[in-house]
C-alpha cells in the first residue's frame, strides 16, 4: 500500500460519492458488499489485469487488456505507443477500467487519463518514481525503451465503485 492518509481520504470520498450518486439498482447490489479505501488499497497490490475501455474516432467502443497498478489511489497502466488504445486515448482521454476477480471483487472506474511520459515532452513530476516501481516489478532488463516504446497513463477518476462481498476471501484468511 503506497497511499498517504490524504490520498486514502480522497479515495474514500470518491467511493462514497460515487455510490451515493449511483442508480438504485447498482446501490442494491453494492451497498453492504463493499470495502473502504484503505482495505481496497491493501487488496490491489502488484499487477492487476484491467479491462480498459476506449472509444474510436467513429464513437465505437473498444475494450482491451492492460497491466494495471493501483498506486496512490489511482490506476496506472501502459501500452505500446503504436497500439490502437494509445491513439484512442491521445484523441479522447476519457476511459473506463474494470478489475475483476471472479465473484469476489469488482472495481469499476471512470475518468480521464493523463499521459505520464509523453514523447518529446517533459514527463510528469512523478514519472521517475513510477518508472522505478515498474522496473522493480517487471525487472530492470532492457527489453524495451521505457521512454520511447511504451506510454504510461494515470486514470484520474471521477467515479469509482467496489463490489467485494467477503473481504476475508480477498486477503486470504
Amino acid at each position: 500500500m503506497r497511499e498517504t492518509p490524504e490520498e486514502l481520504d480522497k479515495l474514500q470520498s470518491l467511493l462514497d460519492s460515487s455510490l451515493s450518486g449511483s442508480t438504485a439498482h447498482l446501490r442494491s447490489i453494492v451497498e453492504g458488499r463493499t470495502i473502504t479505501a484503505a482495505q481496497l488499497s491493501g487488496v490491489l497490490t502488484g499487477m492487476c489485469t484491467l479491462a480498459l475501455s476506449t472509444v474510436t474516432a467513429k464513437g465505437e467502443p473498444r475494450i482491451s487488456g492492460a497491466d494495471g497498478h493501483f498506486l496512490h489511489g489511482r490506476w496506472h497502466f501502459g501500452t505500446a505507443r503504436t497500439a490502437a488504445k494509445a491513439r484512442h486515448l491521445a484523441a479522447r482521454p476519457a476511459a473506463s477500467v474494470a478489475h475483476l476477480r471472479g465473484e469476489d471483487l469488482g472495481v469499476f472506474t471512470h475518468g480521464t487519463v493523463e499521459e505520464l511520459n509523453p514523447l518529446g515532452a517533459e514527463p510528469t513530476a512523478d514519472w521517475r518514481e513510477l518508472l522505478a516501481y515498474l522496473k522493480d516489478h517487471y525487472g530492470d532488463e532492457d527489453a524495451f525503451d521505457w521512454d520511447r516504446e511504451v506510454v504510461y497513463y494515470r486514470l484520474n477518476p471521477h467515479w469509482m465503485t467496489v463490489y467485494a462481498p467477503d473481504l476475508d476471501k480477498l486477503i486470504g484468511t
Side-chain angles (χ1 to χ4, degrees):
M1 188 164 96
R2 297 171 181 266
E3 288 71 21
T4 66
E6 295 79 19
E7 290 167 340
L8 288 174
D9 288 345
K10 185 176 179 181
L11 178 58
Q12 187 63 56
S13 179
L14 175 67
L15 293 171
D16 293 344
S17 66
S18 296
L19 186 56
S20 69
S22 293
T23 64
H25 173 71
L26 181 62
R27 285 193 314 274
S28 75
I29 296 167
V30 174
E31 284 180 337
R33 296 176 194 93
T34 193
I35 55 180
T36 67
Q39 291 167 327
L40 180 64
S41 295
V43 167
L44 297 178
T45 59
M47 193 281 288
C48 301
T49 304
L50 298 178
L52 167 64
S53 180
T54 61
V55 179
T56 69
K58 293 180 182 178
E60 299 167 332
R62 293 293 182 263
I63 192 161
S64 62
D67 287 6
H69 298 270
F70 196 74
L71 306 165
H72 302 290
R74 295 181 282 179
W75 287 111
H76 296 74
F77 60 90
T79 191
R81 289 191 185 276
T82 57
K85 64 185 137 199
R87 288 191 312 274
H88 298 166
L89 292 171
R92 291 162 301 283
S96 296
V97 300
H99 173 64
L100 302 166
R101 294 183 191 170
E103 296 178 353
D104 298 324
L105 179 66
V107 183
F108 307 94
T109 311
H110 308 305
T112 304
V113 297
E114 168 188 6
E115 190 174 333
L116 302 176
N117 61 332
L119 195 59
E122 282 296 310
T124 60
D126 61 342
W127 168 242
R128 292 294 161 205
E129 175 190 347
L130 177 63
L131 183 57
Y133 164 86
L134 293 169
K135 285 183 175 184
D136 183 57
H137 178 80
Y138 292 109
D140 196 9
E141 300 171 14
D142 291 329
F144 51 86
D145 185 326
W146 286 92
D147 291 313
R148 291 188 183 97
E149 294 179 31
V150 296
V151 56
Y152 265 83
Y153 303 96
R154 174 178 21 250
L155 182 62
N156 294 311
H158 60 76
W159 187 92
M160 183 180 215
T161 196
V162 179
Y163 175 78
D166 187 351
L167 180 61
D168 289 340
K169 282 176 111 177
L170 293 173
I171 58 175
T173 59

